[in-house]
Amino acid sequence: MDVGKNLSNASRSLSNSSLKEKLSSLSVTPLKPITIHSNIEFAPARIPRKRRMQMLAVAAWSVAIALTTVLFLLLCSVPSLWPFLAMYQIWIWIDQSPEHGGRTSRWFRELAFWKYFADYYPASLLKEADLPPDRPYVFGYHPHGIIGMGALATFATEATGFSAAFPGIKPHLLTLASNFRMPFYRDLILAMGVCSVSKQSCSNILKSGPGSAITIVVGGAAESLSAHPGTADLTLRKRLGFIKVAIQHGADLVPVFSFGENDIYEQMPNQPGTTIYTLQKKFQSVFGFTLPLFHGRGLLNYNIGLLPYRRQIVVVVGKPIHVEQCGKPDIQEVMRIQKMYIEELTRIWNCYKDQFAKARTRELSIIE
């Protein structure tokens, strides 16, 4: 036992001494400071209060779906509220307001919140002609952009002065019916006059009386994939449904072009034929909408995040195209009206492109 103990102590002593020799033989290398090269452009600490409010308004609306969903889930964690939440869910499924003109609240549309929202870009409305309130109207909005912020500011709020510019016209911006299944969020957009884009909804609104108007973002999800800064690639040639609806209800068609809508976000390159484009189109065919891979700015920086850039949006409301009512229009009549519509839309582009699209990389193009 003593021999083993002595051997153990000796080996321990040897290992300690050899370790000291090795450590002493090592040369000490001074640490060099690590330099992080970053391309993030941070916002200054001192920014006027008005600009802060504009940023908060845009940020709040950008995450409105997420905020309302979280709020609903938090309320679901309170057992005493379950009966009320259950009744609310039933109400969501039976409420026909999205198909019958919504529940527009003038007070909600005129909130100062929306003025901050519009002034962030800034977004403005340019009117080319009066619209008599003695007939219904179908506004065709182009381009879709990534999200359609200009359409929201112009037709779902009073931030750009729509009602003052067109007295007697009652606008309804249309969106996917799935948006009206989202708790609380649905109530916000209903108060803004937003309704379902279904054929029945369009018909119900246009038949509700003179001055009734719907706004359809014609290019839809497909056009959002073409939303790149400096471009105006429209998905329009095969979109005949909104023209048929206008003819069937005797509603004048009003082309609307939003200069700057495509500029407020950057989108990853996704030209037709690329893997990204193929996957996006497949997603669209399955779910009915698509997911553009985009980025903008952040709350505290200017070049990384999911908030839109501060870039001017000018929504030009063109001259109305008078339409004679016909319950069952033939394809020749539809194509004739479409030709007039495209000519008016092209005229708007050519008239204002040098003023509001100076940074364009190419001219207006109808890609499909």
Side-chain angles (χ1 to χ4, degrees):
M1 294 292 292
D2 292 338
V3 175
K5 185 176 182 180
N6 291 335
L7 286 173
S8 177
N9 290 335
S11 61
R12 191 179 295 124
S13 177
L14 284 172
S15 62
N16 287 340
S17 61
S18 61
L19 180 61
K20 290 179 181 179
E21 289 175 4
K22 290 181 179 180
L23 288 174
S24 63
S25 65
L26 292 175
S27 59
V28 179
T29 304
L31 295 175
K32 295 181 180 179
I34 299 175
T35 304
I36 300 176
H37 298 280
S38 174
N39 293 323
I40 300 177
E41 184 183 353
F42 288 100
R46 294 181 178 275
I47 289 181
R49 178 179 176 275
K50 185 177 181 180
R51 288 177 67 86
R52 290 290 190 195
M53 295 296 290
Q54 293 167 357
M55 168 63 73
L56 289 175
V58 172
W61 184 253
S62 297
V63 296
I65 293 177
L67 288 177
T68 52
T69 301
V70 169
L71 175 59
F72 181 76
L73 293 176
L74 287 174
L75 293 177
C76 287
S77 66
V78 182
S80 60
L81 296 178
W82 289 354
F84 301 101
L85 295 176
M87 287 188 288
Y88 178 63
Q89 282 290 86
I90 294 172
W91 170 248
I92 288 177
W93 285 99
I94 65 175
D95 181 25
Q96 294 299 308
S97 295
E99 300 287 334
H100 292 270
R103 292 193 294 270
T104 305
S105 168
R106 179 85 181 189
W107 168 83
F108 191 75
R109 286 171 57 94
E110 292 178 346
L111 284 177
F113 175 91
W114 301 117
K115 185 62 177 173
Y116 284 120
F117 176 89
D119 288 347
Y120 168 84
Y121 302 97
S124 59
L125 182 153
L126 195 159
K127 166 187 171 182
E128 282 203 322
D130 290 331
L131 299 179
D134 60 351
R135 68 198 70 173
Y137 292 92
V138 174
F139 293 88
Y141 186 91
H142 313 267
H144 182 284
I146 297 294
I147 297 178
M149 295 297 197
L152 182 86
T154 304
F155 295 99
T157 79
E158 294 299 328
T160 61
F162 182 91
S163 293
F166 304 106
I169 306 299
K170 302 179 284 293
H172 295 277
L173 180 63
L174 305 186
T175 187
L176 296 175
S178 57
N179 286 317
F180 299 98
R181 301 301 181 194
M182 300 180 185
F184 302 145
Y185 178 75
R186 70 185 304 273
D187 300 292
L188 295 178
I189 58 177
L190 282 171
M192 298 164 72
V194 180
C195 295
S196 169
V197 75
S198 70
K199 184 178 180 180
Q200 186 61 51
S201 173
C202 294
S203 179
N204 290 335
I205 294 171
L206 294 175
K207 290 191 299 185
S208 63
S212 298
I214 59 175
T215 302
I216 300 176
V217 185
V218 178
E223 194 173 86
S224 68
L225 299 181
S226 305
H228 295 274
T231 68
D233 298 334
L234 306 185
T235 301
L236 176 59
R237 193 77 63 186
K238 298 178 182 178
R239 302 298 172 102
L240 303 175
F242 75 107
I243 296 177
K244 290 180 183 178
V245 167
I247 297 174
Q248 289 168 348
H249 295 86
D252 284 6
L253 273 167
V254 185
V256 179
F257 196 93
S258 179
F259 290 89
E261 187 70 68
N262 281 350
D263 299 334
I264 61 176
Y265 284 107
E266 299 281 349
Q267 186 173 183
M268 287 183 62
N270 62 336
Q271 289 74 17
T274 61
T275 302
I276 292 178
Y277 182 84
T278 302
L279 291 174
Q280 288 173 325
K281 295 298 287 185
K282 182 65 175 177
F283 187 95
Q284 179 188 345
S285 66
V286 174
F287 296 99
F289 65 95
T290 189
L291 295 174
L293 300 178
F294 66 93
H295 74 87
R297 58 162 295 177
L299 277 172
L300 302 177
N301 71 80
Y302 291 131
N303 54 356
I304 296 180
L306 296 179
L307 296 181
Y309 292 109
R310 282 183 184 266
R311 293 172 181 168
Q312 184 184 36
I313 298 175
V314 180
V315 179
V316 179
V317 179
K319 299 173 183 177
I321 298 169
H322 183 64
V323 174
E324 294 293 337
Q325 187 170 7
C326 176
K328 293 182 178 180
D330 56 32
I331 189 63
Q332 288 77 18
E333 176 64 7
V334 173
M335 297 302 293
R336 185 184 73 83
I337 298 296
Q338 186 198 52
K339 184 175 181 293
M340 296 171 60
Y341 183 90
I342 292 176
E343 288 175 352
E344 174 62 12
L345 195 63
T346 303
R347 182 198 65 78
I348 294 173
W349 167 262
N350 290 330
C351 184
Y352 297 100
K353 63 182 181 181
D354 291 332
Q355 184 178 358
F356 302 129
K358 295 178 181 179
R360 64 188 182 277
T361 58
R362 55 178 179 264
E363 295 299 312
L364 173 70
S365 174
I366 299 177
I367 55 178
E368 60 177 296

